[in-house]
Amino acid sequence: LLLRWRRRRGLWRKVKEARQRQERSLVQMEMAVRRFREQHPSVNMISILSLPLPELSKKLQDGSLSPEHVFYAYVGKALQIATETNCITEYLQESETQLQKAKLTGKLGLLYGVPVSIKDSIDCQGHDSTLGFIKNLNKPAAEDSVVVQVFRRQGAIPFVKTNVPQSLISYDCKNLIFGQTFNPLLYTRSPGGSSGGEGALVGGGGSILGFGTDVGGSLRFPAAFCGICALKPTGNRLRPLTMNALFWSLPVAVGVGPMAKDVESLALCMRALLCEDMFNLDSTVPPLPFNEEVYSSTQPLRIGYYETDFFTMPSPSMRRAVRETKQLLEDAGHTLVPFELTNVDYMIFNFCIKGMFADGAASFLKSFKGELEKSSMGLLFWLAKSPNWLKTVLSWIAKPFHLLMPFISFVSFFSTVDEVWNLHHEIEEFCHQFITQWKALNLDVMLCPMLGPALGIGYPGKLSVAVSYTMLYNVLDFPAGVVPVTMVTDEDEEELKSYQGYFRDWWDRTLAKAFRGSVGLPVAVQCVALPWQEELCLRFMKEVETL
């Protein structure tokens, strides 16, 4: 007991030190901005913050805007949003040194002088990548991840790291070290996750370009909840240098991608990253430069669409968002074709949940070993550690009620290599069938619902099964983007009163409760393309955004 008490005391000391570092970071930001304003009182920071990224970048390139003015304008705004939402974990003070060097160099990259925010889990040299785990504190990265290296070579200035949920396996944004991050649009709502700090900072205007990861919707949830745009590319189109070992064991693809206020900013980011530097630094990334011809095409598209996946019933505003976007696209001359999804429940339970715990949850439990808090996953841990006979009994009890369905997979872990191979074969078959259905309809892209509006804080932890709309495209490894298209209306709120869900169980009732009181919050749609067609996906997103 004494040893355990000493160990816990040591962990709490590390947490306290990390929080103090976070507070010092905000003080450093405040001092840097104050110093700049004293020296440059005439700089109009509001006009700088109002510029979209393409226009800002152009002004930086032609010299009509100083990188210093832009940098401190965003540091000041980021400080304000961090104070309101608790989205920043660390200020990268070396960014000020990089800023001075950028002014002296003659080489101007595509993102010259652009401040960029980086998700906690992406390595920046000399800084922790905690993933919300106490054990990862005081373990600074030895080098920048590849994407951060390429950002720097393109002239961008990474200036802050942002908050994440513990382990990243959540679409909320809370951990024991840095606490809860709030939605900048409504503080009682979650900003989404796991790139929730990025979503809050970009959504609040404190960063013009953010970068995060996506293993089940971790870019798309924050974008949808905070009313911004995001792109999850095909798994290997961009890759960070390092990632939690737990994610590489998943049978679904991890994507890394940008978040911004508009689609053109995402396209500019992809142009900058898909360059020779990226291909030379990481040989696993295929040398496919950004295809400008596809992105700028104006040819009418043949677009598949669906309003529901028949697993998670869409909220009234989700359904309306798809219908209205479909109508606008048809009016603009595009062809819309109904697409029917099948076996989404099988995909969630067998490919995602069972696949994640294929080793008997050993990797999962190992990730949390020695941590003070298990986030919102207490039930998961209890089941993972339970003896097989108890899991079997629980599965028989749960099946008729559809209550513990997401956890039934704990009963039948893949204990042999043959079973794991069969799982991957099943996923291959599922992808093949989906693409066959896609090509039989001769589709270019797909219009899909996106879970929304933003759920109340604490609800994502109770509603892990609601990731079905996003997780599908991690399993398929298709590029998928999010574009906000409407807001919740009084009529949506009234219609929500009759929401029952497909299974009419505790999860459906809880989801209905989580949607309530959301008038005025943004609602998005997903835009999807076939693998390696990020430019077509962005082109479709741009079309939706414009309409």
Side-chain angles (χ1 to χ4, degrees), residues 6 167 194 284 338 444:
R6 285 185 62 188
S167 81
S194 60
T284 65
D444 296 308

Side-chain angles (χ1 to χ4, degrees), residues 3-13 371-372:
L3 288 171
R4 189 178 175 187
W5 174 79
R6 285 185 62 188
R7 192 186 151 279
R8 286 177 67 85
R9 190 179 173 198
L11 290 174
W12 278 115
R13 192 182 300 118
E371 291 297 309
L372 287 170

Side-chain angles (χ1 to χ4, degrees), residues 214-253:
D214 189 309
V215 74
S218 297
L219 284 162
R220 290 162 286 164
F221 279 116
F225 286 11
C226 297
I228 58 174
C229 301
L231 174 70
K232 177 204 80 71
T234 310
N236 261 32
R237 191 79 195 260
L238 297 170
R239 272 168 63 103
L241 185 65
T242 56
M243 178 58 92
N244 184 5
L246 177 61
F247 293 108
W248 295 131
S249 67
L250 292 177
V252 295

Side-chain angles (χ1 to χ4, degrees), residues 379-415:
L379 182 59
L380 279 173
F381 278 89
W382 184 78
L383 284 165
K385 291 179 176 180
S386 298
N388 286 335
W389 66 265
L390 181 57
K391 294 172 188 172
T392 307
V393 171
L394 285 171
S395 72
W396 282 105
I397 294 170
K399 275 180 183 177
F401 302 104
H402 195 80
L403 183 62
L404 293 174
M405 281 296 285
F407 309 120
I408 289 173
S409 54
F410 279 108
V411 179
S412 44
F413 294 125
F414 296 99
S415 54

